[in-house]
Amino acid sequence: PATLSLADIRSAKELSSARLYVYLLRIGADGVLNAEVLHETDRPAEAERLVIAARRGEALAFSDIVQVGDETWIDDGGTGQWAPSEATIAERADIEAIWSGQLLAPLSAAPGTFVSLETVRGMEAGRYTWGPEALAGILGEGVAVESARADAWISPLFETPIQVQLLAQGSEGETLFVQYVVTDLEEGLGIAPPEAQYCPEARSLQMDEIAAGTLAAGETSCFKFIALADEAITLRMGTDNPNFDPALNVHDIDGNFLHYSDDGPDSMAPLLTFSPLGTGVYVAEVEGFDSATAGAFTIGLSFFDAEGTTTIDEAAVLEPEVATRGAITEGALLYIESHEETI
């Protein structure tokens, strides 16, 4: 239709299976809040997973809950120490707030205007847009919105939003950005209990966090993180020991090997950029280049730095019979997407 409210369509939680990913960035007087939420539901298998990662300044919060049938486990704090839990995911008040989309409530109260039919997340969807008048006040009571915009992509097949992006800025410098993505609709997700996951003792790693670790000879060290399909991210390792030679592997939560990096651009510490094929939890596994490798290291997760990295499509044309000059500088990077490598 020409206009549409999110209240006119069904919620993603009515689907039998789906992955919901929510990213929230809020900048205000109380600092910067980064938060990621991943909620997987597979109702035919009676399984759910809820991962919440939040960061405000130096303060980190992380919880990972897996529910299969009548059993629930929780890794509170992201330490990799799983414990049985009597409370189910449905009993957590915050998950209902996520599904009901409290941050998206303005889009349910006002109609959006149809823009076009587009392909997003591999599905055809109708794109609708909302202007500042529909989003006034979402930054807080009494805050004037200088500029605001929201776009929602609605799947006509599933009659549910598969992506929503919302951006609002207030007169005092407040900023709110929300990305709401639903993937793997009506598919079995294979949610497994902790002991069946790859490296269940993995510690949490959040976006823009730099974690410290120590690798023992012949051992590995694991970190788990949330990733969104087709959103390029970078894992960067560091070490103060120039002779420490670690290697970095990336697996999905089922243990499927996906990516590998040995050396980085300026040391033997790996640097790896890749675009996940699917939304979910991934595991970064640090190992030694050989069985004798041991030492302290850091590992950081960040969004891909497109401004500081050259890609193939930016290559200059080299004309026949024409001389040209170029230079490689310290720290220069090239990302080859077709090979999923950073060099």
Side-chain angles (χ1 to χ4, degrees), residues 182-201:
V182 179
T183 62
D184 301 312
L185 286 67
E186 304 285 357
E187 296 182 8
L189 303 184
I191 301 169
E195 65 270 15
Q197 298 174 21
Y198 188 78
C199 205
E201 70 278 7

mmCIF file of all heavy atoms in Angstrom, residues 182-201:
data_model
loop_
_atom_site.group_PDB
_atom_site.id
_atom_site.type_symbol
_atom_site.label_atom_id
_atom_site.label_comp_id
_atom_site.label_asym_id
_atom_site.label_seq_id
_atom_site.Cartn_x
_atom_site.Cartn_y
_atom_site.Cartn_z
ATOM 1 N N VAL A 182 15.879 -8.889 10.790
ATOM 2 C CA VAL A 182 15.330 -10.231 10.978
ATOM 3 C C VAL A 182 15.820 -11.094 9.811
ATOM 4 O O VAL A 182 15.635 -10.734 8.644
ATOM 5 C CB VAL A 182 13.795 -10.216 11.025
ATOM 6 C CG1 VAL A 182 13.251 -11.627 11.197
ATOM 7 C CG2 VAL A 182 13.310 -9.324 12.164
ATOM 8 N N THR A 183 16.452 -12.232 10.127
ATOM 9 C CA THR A 183 16.980 -13.114 9.086
ATOM 10 C C THR A 183 16.587 -14.560 9.362
ATOM 11 O O THR A 183 16.072 -14.885 10.425
ATOM 12 C CB THR A 183 18.520 -13.030 9.013
ATOM 13 O OG1 THR A 183 19.072 -13.476 10.259
ATOM 14 C CG2 THR A 183 18.976 -11.619 8.739
ATOM 15 N N ASP A 184 16.857 -15.413 8.388
ATOM 16 C CA ASP A 184 16.622 -16.861 8.506
ATOM 17 C C ASP A 184 15.184 -17.155 8.925
ATOM 18 O O ASP A 184 14.929 -17.941 9.837
ATOM 19 C CB ASP A 184 17.602 -17.497 9.497
ATOM 20 C CG ASP A 184 19.040 -17.273 9.085
ATOM 21 O OD1 ASP A 184 19.355 -17.501 7.910
ATOM 22 O OD2 ASP A 184 19.851 -16.858 9.928
ATOM 23 N N LEU A 185 14.252 -16.512 8.253
ATOM 24 C CA LEU A 185 12.838 -16.670 8.580
ATOM 25 C C LEU A 185 12.363 -18.071 8.210
ATOM 26 O O LEU A 185 12.681 -18.587 7.139
ATOM 27 C CB LEU A 185 11.992 -15.635 7.841
ATOM 28 C CG LEU A 185 12.057 -14.188 8.348
ATOM 29 C CD1 LEU A 185 13.412 -13.571 8.140
ATOM 30 C CD2 LEU A 185 10.991 -13.346 7.650
ATOM 31 N N GLU A 186 11.609 -18.672 9.112
ATOM 32 C CA GLU A 186 10.969 -19.972 8.873
ATOM 33 C C GLU A 186 11.979 -21.076 8.555
ATOM 34 O O GLU A 186 11.659 -22.039 7.887
ATOM 35 C CB GLU A 186 9.943 -19.851 7.739
ATOM 36 C CG GLU A 186 8.874 -18.802 7.952
ATOM 37 C CD GLU A 186 7.812 -19.216 8.969
ATOM 38 O OE1 GLU A 186 7.855 -20.354 9.478
ATOM 39 O OE2 GLU A 186 6.927 -18.412 9.238
ATOM 40 N N GLU A 187 13.219 -20.941 9.053
ATOM 41 C CA GLU A 187 14.227 -21.970 8.846
ATOM 42 C C GLU A 187 14.626 -22.566 10.189
ATOM 43 O O GLU A 187 14.600 -21.895 11.213
ATOM 44 C CB GLU A 187 15.471 -21.391 8.167
ATOM 45 C CG GLU A 187 15.222 -20.849 6.758
ATOM 46 C CD GLU A 187 16.485 -20.328 6.120
ATOM 47 O OE1 GLU A 187 17.569 -20.523 6.718
ATOM 48 O OE2 GLU A 187 16.402 -19.728 5.042
ATOM 49 N N GLY A 188 14.990 -23.847 10.188
ATOM 50 C CA GLY A 188 15.512 -24.456 11.403
ATOM 51 C C GLY A 188 16.887 -23.893 11.715
ATOM 52 O O GLY A 188 17.758 -23.850 10.844
ATOM 53 N N LEU A 189 17.130 -23.455 12.948
ATOM 54 C CA LEU A 189 18.365 -22.772 13.286
ATOM 55 C C LEU A 189 19.392 -23.672 13.963
ATOM 56 O O LEU A 189 20.553 -23.284 14.097
ATOM 57 C CB LEU A 189 18.058 -21.572 14.197
ATOM 58 C CG LEU A 189 17.069 -20.547 13.628
ATOM 59 C CD1 LEU A 189 16.933 -19.370 14.572
ATOM 60 C CD2 LEU A 189 17.505 -20.070 12.257
ATOM 61 N N GLY A 190 18.979 -24.846 14.430
ATOM 62 C CA GLY A 190 19.931 -25.769 15.036
ATOM 63 C C GLY A 190 20.576 -25.234 16.298
ATOM 64 O O GLY A 190 21.784 -25.371 16.492
ATOM 65 N N ILE A 191 19.801 -24.592 17.165
ATOM 66 C CA ILE A 191 20.331 -24.058 18.420
ATOM 67 C C ILE A 191 20.723 -25.216 19.332
ATOM 68 O O ILE A 191 19.919 -26.097 19.616
ATOM 69 C CB ILE A 191 19.285 -23.161 19.108
ATOM 70 C CG1 ILE A 191 18.908 -22.002 18.164
ATOM 71 C CG2 ILE A 191 19.805 -22.631 20.440
ATOM 72 C CD1 ILE A 191 17.711 -21.202 18.625
ATOM 73 N N ALA A 192 21.970 -25.215 19.801
ATOM 74 C CA ALA A 192 22.509 -26.354 20.542
ATOM 75 C C ALA A 192 22.835 -25.954 21.977
ATOM 76 O O ALA A 192 23.157 -24.790 22.252
ATOM 77 C CB ALA A 192 23.771 -26.881 19.866
ATOM 78 N N PRO A 193 22.768 -26.906 22.919
ATOM 79 C CA PRO A 193 23.190 -26.632 24.288
ATOM 80 C C PRO A 193 24.679 -26.318 24.331
ATOM 81 O O PRO A 193 25.411 -26.618 23.372
ATOM 82 C CB PRO A 193 22.854 -27.929 25.029
ATOM 83 C CG PRO A 193 22.781 -28.969 23.977
ATOM 84 C CD PRO A 193 22.296 -28.290 22.752
ATOM 85 N N PRO A 194 25.172 -25.708 25.418
ATOM 86 C CA PRO A 194 26.573 -25.268 25.462
ATOM 87 C C PRO A 194 27.584 -26.349 25.114
ATOM 88 O O PRO A 194 28.540 -26.084 24.368
ATOM 89 C CB PRO A 194 26.727 -24.790 26.910
ATOM 90 C CG PRO A 194 25.366 -24.355 27.309
ATOM 91 C CD PRO A 194 24.426 -25.290 26.618
ATOM 92 N N GLU A 195 27.402 -27.568 25.643
ATOM 93 C CA GLU A 195 28.426 -28.592 25.423
ATOM 94 C C GLU A 195 28.533 -29.011 23.961
ATOM 95 O O GLU A 195 29.536 -29.589 23.547
ATOM 96 C CB GLU A 195 28.147 -29.827 26.291
ATOM 97 C CG GLU A 195 26.858 -30.569 25.944
ATOM 98 C CD GLU A 195 25.660 -30.073 26.718
ATOM 99 O OE1 GLU A 195 25.749 -28.984 27.316
ATOM 100 O OE2 GLU A 195 24.645 -30.785 26.727
ATOM 101 N N ALA A 196 27.508 -28.707 23.153
ATOM 102 C CA ALA A 196 27.532 -29.069 21.739
ATOM 103 C C ALA A 196 28.022 -27.918 20.857
ATOM 104 O O ALA A 196 28.157 -28.083 19.653
ATOM 105 C CB ALA A 196 26.147 -29.517 21.283
ATOM 106 N N GLN A 197 28.289 -26.751 21.455
ATOM 107 C CA GLN A 197 28.778 -25.622 20.691
ATOM 108 C C GLN A 197 30.294 -25.713 20.537
ATOM 109 O O GLN A 197 30.980 -26.378 21.312
ATOM 110 C CB GLN A 197 28.415 -24.311 21.397
ATOM 111 C CG GLN A 197 26.925 -24.079 21.547
ATOM 112 C CD GLN A 197 26.622 -22.848 22.369
ATOM 113 O OE1 GLN A 197 27.454 -21.965 22.506
ATOM 114 N NE2 GLN A 197 25.423 -22.783 22.916
ATOM 115 N N TYR A 198 30.809 -24.998 19.547
ATOM 116 C CA TYR A 198 32.253 -24.971 19.363
ATOM 117 C C TYR A 198 32.881 -24.089 20.437
ATOM 118 O O TYR A 198 32.483 -22.950 20.630
ATOM 119 C CB TYR A 198 32.619 -24.438 17.974
ATOM 120 C CG TYR A 198 34.085 -24.572 17.667
ATOM 121 C CD1 TYR A 198 34.622 -25.790 17.300
ATOM 122 C CD2 TYR A 198 34.936 -23.483 17.787
ATOM 123 C CE1 TYR A 198 35.979 -25.929 17.031
ATOM 124 C CE2 TYR A 198 36.296 -23.609 17.515
ATOM 125 C CZ TYR A 198 36.797 -24.846 17.142
ATOM 126 O OH TYR A 198 38.148 -24.988 16.885
ATOM 127 N N CYS A 199 33.841 -24.619 21.140
ATOM 128 C CA CYS A 199 34.564 -23.892 22.177
ATOM 129 C C CYS A 199 33.600 -23.232 23.171
ATOM 130 O O CYS A 199 33.524 -22.004 23.262
ATOM 131 C CB CYS A 199 35.470 -22.841 21.550
ATOM 132 S SG CYS A 199 36.881 -22.366 22.564
ATOM 133 N N PRO A 200 32.829 -24.021 23.924
ATOM 134 C CA PRO A 200 31.826 -23.452 24.839
ATOM 135 C C PRO A 200 32.422 -22.566 25.920
ATOM 136 O O PRO A 200 31.714 -21.733 26.498
ATOM 137 C CB PRO A 200 31.161 -24.692 25.446
ATOM 138 C CG PRO A 200 32.126 -25.801 25.246
ATOM 139 C CD PRO A 200 32.854 -25.495 23.984
ATOM 140 N N GLU A 201 33.721 -22.710 26.194
ATOM 141 C CA GLU A 201 34.355 -21.884 27.225
ATOM 142 C C GLU A 201 34.808 -20.527 26.690
ATOM 143 O O GLU A 201 35.495 -19.755 27.387
ATOM 144 C CB GLU A 201 35.566 -22.611 27.824
ATOM 145 C CG GLU A 201 36.759 -22.758 26.898
ATOM 146 C CD GLU A 201 36.649 -23.932 25.931
ATOM 147 O OE1 GLU A 201 35.575 -24.571 25.879
ATOM 148 O OE2 GLU A 201 37.640 -24.216 25.224
#
